[in-house]
Amino acid sequence: MLEEIIQRIEKARLSVNEHLIVKLIAVSKYVDASAIEQLYNQGQRAFGENKVQDMYSKAQQLSDLPIEWHFIGNLQKNKINKLLSLEPFMIQSINSVDLAKAIDKRTTKPMRCLLEINSANEVSKHGVMAQEAVDVYHQILQECPNIRLQGVMTIGAHTDNQKEIIKSFELTYKIFEQLRPHGAKVCSMGMSNDFELAIKCGSNMVRIGSALFR
Ligand SMILES: *Cc1c(COP(=O)(O)O)cnc(C)c1O
């Protein structure tokens, strides 16, 4: 399964540019610690969780493995301390200046973060609107010295219409390009059903759950 996904990522990235490097985040929210350990034993190091409590219990059970944890879910302010106590590698879901400030205040070390963009303009989704993303990014850079903003994250449009999905990825990539001169390195987009499309639109980080674990 992992092998097959890696090959599909490889094929998609080579169709764009042989120098494009795409990182795989295995989204383990559907599975328990033993399934994570299995994938770890196959060589996967980066895992993503969308709930603080789940990441907490899995990270505790797997504390002897040097796993790189990525938080990808909506973060409530009252869970920030618990999340920070796990020393995650990255928080991908910064969706407001307010949240960035709250993390900035509580963290004792610089924290790698991505700004989440609501690229399909869906009310059901978190993330800043595309029109305000660049301004919000700059405001966080200026006002949050402990937040190491490294790029953007988005969830593609929730539809079967490929054109709509591509539109949301292209919009996110355009924002990413604007932010590159300001230190943005990561463009995190693409999930089980759309990661090849996302890579073709410039993604260099894919977050894949069900295709790996189901
Ligand atoms: C669940 C989730 C994923 C993975 O989704 P799959 O469709 O299972 O691959 C990626 N990103 C976020 C933010 C998620 O919540």
Side-chain angles (χ1 to χ4, degrees):
M1 266 319 208
L2 177 62
E3 196 52 41
E4 185 207 318
I5 296 296
I6 289 172
Q7 278 172 15
R8 284 172 61 190
I9 293 172
E10 195 59 11
K11 196 168 160 204
R13 92 170 172 90
L14 287 172
S15 77
V16 179
N17 177 343
E18 60 175 325
H19 300 297
L20 175 66
I21 293 171
V22 178
K23 179 161 172 164
L24 167 62
I25 311 301
V27 176
S28 48
K29 64 188 183 191
Y30 313 108
V31 297
D32 61 11
S34 68
I36 296 174
E37 190 168 6
Q38 268 182 30
L39 216 60
Y40 175 90
N41 289 332
Q42 295 173 52
Q44 179 64 27
R45 292 293 175 269
F47 291 86
E49 288 284 337
N50 68 340
K51 296 207 172 77
V52 174
Q53 184 52 50
D54 291 351
M55 186 188 277
Y56 191 84
S57 64
K58 292 173 195 179
Q60 297 244 300
Q61 291 174 72
L62 299 166
S63 60
D64 46 343
L65 303 182
I67 285 176
E68 187 184 299
W69 290 106
H70 291 246
F71 188 76
I72 60 172
N74 186 42
L75 179 56
Q76 287 158 323
K77 290 216 182 84
N78 61 0
K79 304 267 172 65
I80 291 174
N81 285 339
K82 189 162 190 172
L83 178 61
L84 290 175
S85 76
L86 299 171
E87 303 194 1
F89 181 81
M90 183 179 267
I91 300 174
Q92 299 204 6
S93 41
I94 300 296
N95 53 29
S96 67
V97 175
D98 212 36
L99 178 62
K101 281 184 175 169
I103 297 170
D104 181 64
K105 232 188 316 182
R106 291 170 174 78
T107 186
T108 52
K109 289 194 245 186
M111 186 67 232
R112 292 183 201 87
C113 292
L114 301 180
L115 182 66
E116 180 173 357
I117 297 169
N118 187 343
S119 58
N121 223 330
E122 288 165 332
V123 280
S124 58
K125 275 187 193 146
H126 298 284
V128 302
M129 290 301 153
Q131 317 81 266
E132 54 182 31
V134 170
D135 283 347
V136 169
Y137 199 93
H138 282 115
Q139 200 181 340
I140 295 173
L141 283 181
Q142 273 161 18
E143 297 179 21
C144 305
N146 290 316
I147 302 289
R148 293 279 180 272
L149 266 188
Q150 306 222 305
V152 295
M153 183 272 259
T154 201
I155 297 174
H158 184 71
T159 165
D160 291 330
N161 183 341
Q162 285 226 346
K163 282 199 183 120
E164 288 299 312
I165 301 172
I166 290 173
K167 219 166 82 184
S168 62
F169 288 153
E170 286 180 340
L171 181 60
T172 304
Y173 187 73
K174 221 161 87 187
I175 295 165
F176 172 61
E177 287 276 81
Q178 273 178 273
L179 295 170
R180 264 189 164 155
H182 307 280
K185 294 184 295 221
V186 177
C187 180
S188 173
M189 56 189 194
M191 321 201 315
S192 292
N193 290 328
D194 56 20
F195 69 90
E196 283 140 321
L197 267 187
I199 292 169
K200 285 170 190 172
C201 295
S203 166
N204 60 12
M205 183 177 278
V206 292
R207 310 175 310 272
I208 300 181
S210 43
L212 277 175
F213 290 109
R214 279 179 176 170

